Each structure stands twice: as structure tokens, then as C-alpha cells.
């Protein structure tokens, strides 16, 4: 457990150095393991919040852990595919899709903030603090995902940020505008 917390802290503090070391040692799979563990734990905590509200303690935490993990894995795969396609075809990146998915799994490291956010919500009932922790969590996850794409595809942080967030956001905005025009 000490190794896990030390590695988690390394990803949060210095993602670029961590990804270089991970690639050198061939430990890319740890990103997926971290992602699955953190999503399941976060889902379990979310299920605990729902259980506290509804009073049903048996089903919700386990069900939420499974559902959140499956949905999060699907989201990670779609996010990594889009980022990989943009990195390769727009910015001439050199990485592989499987390594992109594995390294982007490390973007779950900031989910520890989401766990703290749910704990503060459950124990103290602080909605604003919980919301701010979730915002910080998502911003830091995007930074770690961008760093993962940058290291895997060797395209630099600016281009990888556009691959991870910029171009997909423009596509979503464009689709929303088209849908709005046809209504």
C-alpha cells in the first residue's frame, strides 16, 4: 500500500517524469489498474451517499461501484480514441492507441480529490467545498491526460492538450450548433 500511495503522489506531482519512468519500465498497464480501482472506489463512495439518502445500505454502494467503473472505462476508451486520432492524424503523433489508453488511465489519480469531496459531503455536508474539489479533480485529470498523450505521441504539451480537450470540445460544440439549427 505504501508503494501505491507513493506512485499516486508521483503522478499527481510530476506526471511527465512518472510517465517517462513508466514507459521505460514497461508498466503502462498500471494506469488501467489505477483507473479501475479509483473508479470503483469513487462509485462505492457515491453509492454510500445514495444509501445515506435512501436508507437502503446493501445494494447501492456495490451497484454504483460496478456501474461507475463500467461507464468510466467506456468514457476512458472513447476519450483515448479521440485523443489518439487527433494526435496521430492532425498533429502527426507517433504513439499507439493501446498505450494511449493505458497511460490515460493514470488520469484517475486526481480521483482521490473526488473521494475527499464525497467524504466532506457525507460527513460535513459542505456542498461548495465538494463542488470545488470536483472541479480541481477534473482540471487535474485533463492535465494528466494531456501529459500522457504528450509523452506517448511525442507531440508536446500544447498539441496534446488540443488532442485531449480542444479539438473534441470544438467537435462537440459544432455538433450542438448543428443540432440547434435543425430543431
Amino acid at each position: 500500500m505504501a508503494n501505491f500511495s507513493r506512485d499516486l503522489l508521483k503522478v499527481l506531482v510530476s506526471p511527465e517524469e512518472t510517465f517517462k519512468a513508466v514507459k521505460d519500465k514497461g508498466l503502462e498497464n498500471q494506469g488501467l489498474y489505477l483507473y479501475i480501482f479509483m473508479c470503483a472506489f469513487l462509485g462505492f463512495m457515491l453509492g454510500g451517499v445514495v444509501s445515506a439518502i435512501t436508507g437502503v445500505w446493501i445494494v447501492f454502494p456495490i451497484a454504483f461501484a460496478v456501474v461507475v467503473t463500467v461507464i468510466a472505462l467506456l468514457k476512458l476508451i472513447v476519450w483515448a480514441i479521440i485523443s489518439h486520432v487527433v494526435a496521430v492524424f492532425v498533429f502527426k503523433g507517433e504513439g499507439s492507441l493501446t498505450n494511449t489508453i493505458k497511460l490515460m488511465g493514470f488520469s484517475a489519480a486526481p480521483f482521490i480529490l473526488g473521494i475527499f469531496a464525497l467524504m466532506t459531503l457525507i460527513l460535513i455536508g459542505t456542498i461548495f467545498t465538494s463542488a470545488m474539489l470536483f472541479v480541481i479533480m477534473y482540471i487535474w485529470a485533463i492535465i494528466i491526460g494531456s501529459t500522457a498523450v504528450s509523452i506517448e505521441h511525442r507531440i508536446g504539451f500544447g498539441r496534446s492538450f488540443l488532442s485531449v480537450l480542444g479539438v473534441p470540445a470544438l467537435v462537440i460544440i459544432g455538433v450542438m450548433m448543428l443540432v440547434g439549427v435543425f430543431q
Side-chain angles (χ1 to χ4, degrees):
M1 190 66 175
N3 263 353
F4 178 74
S5 59
R6 188 183 74 237
D7 293 342
L8 183 64
L9 185 61
K10 277 186 190 177
V11 172
L12 288 171
V13 173
S14 180
E16 189 170 359
E17 288 178 26
T18 303
F19 289 140
K20 287 178 182 176
V22 163
K23 284 190 65 74
D24 288 344
K25 295 177 183 176
L27 300 173
E28 292 92 346
N29 286 338
Q30 287 187 353
L32 281 178
Y33 303 147
L34 174 70
Y35 198 83
I36 291 168
F37 174 77
M38 294 300 278
C39 290
F41 195 77
L42 195 57
F44 190 81
M45 293 288 294
L46 188 60
V49 171
V50 172
S51 292
I53 292 170
T54 62
V56 180
W57 288 96
I58 303 291
V59 178
F60 286 119
I62 295 168
F64 268 69
V66 171
V67 169
V68 166
T69 303
V70 169
I71 291 171
L73 276 172
L74 291 173
K75 180 201 72 90
L76 175 69
I77 291 168
V78 169
W79 187 32
I81 289 171
I82 292 169
S83 299
H84 172 75
V85 166
V86 172
V88 169
F89 294 110
V90 175
F91 299 118
K92 308 298 184 227
E94 304 170 1
S96 73
L97 176 61
T98 54
N99 279 348
T100 302
I101 293 170
K102 291 174 185 177
L103 286 177
M104 286 183 76
F106 284 105
S107 66
F111 288 6
I112 195 76
L113 293 174
I115 292 167
F116 286 127
L118 288 174
M119 285 174 48
T120 60
L121 186 64
I122 293 169
L123 298 174
I124 306 170
T126 56
I127 295 172
F128 181 76
T129 302
S130 297
M132 289 300 104
L133 284 172
F134 274 117
V135 167
I136 293 168
M137 176 189 83
Y138 282 117
I139 290 170
W140 198 242
I142 290 168
I143 291 170
I144 291 175
S146 297
T147 305
V149 171
S150 172
I151 295 298
E152 176 60 25
H153 292 281
R154 297 187 261 321
I155 58 174
F157 188 80
R159 290 179 177 174
S160 66
F161 181 79
L162 290 174
S163 298
V164 169
L165 186 67
V167 174
L170 289 175
V171 169
I172 290 169
I173 290 168
V175 168
M176 290 173 62
M177 289 172 63
L178 282 174
V179 169
V181 167
F182 292 121
Q183 283 186 344

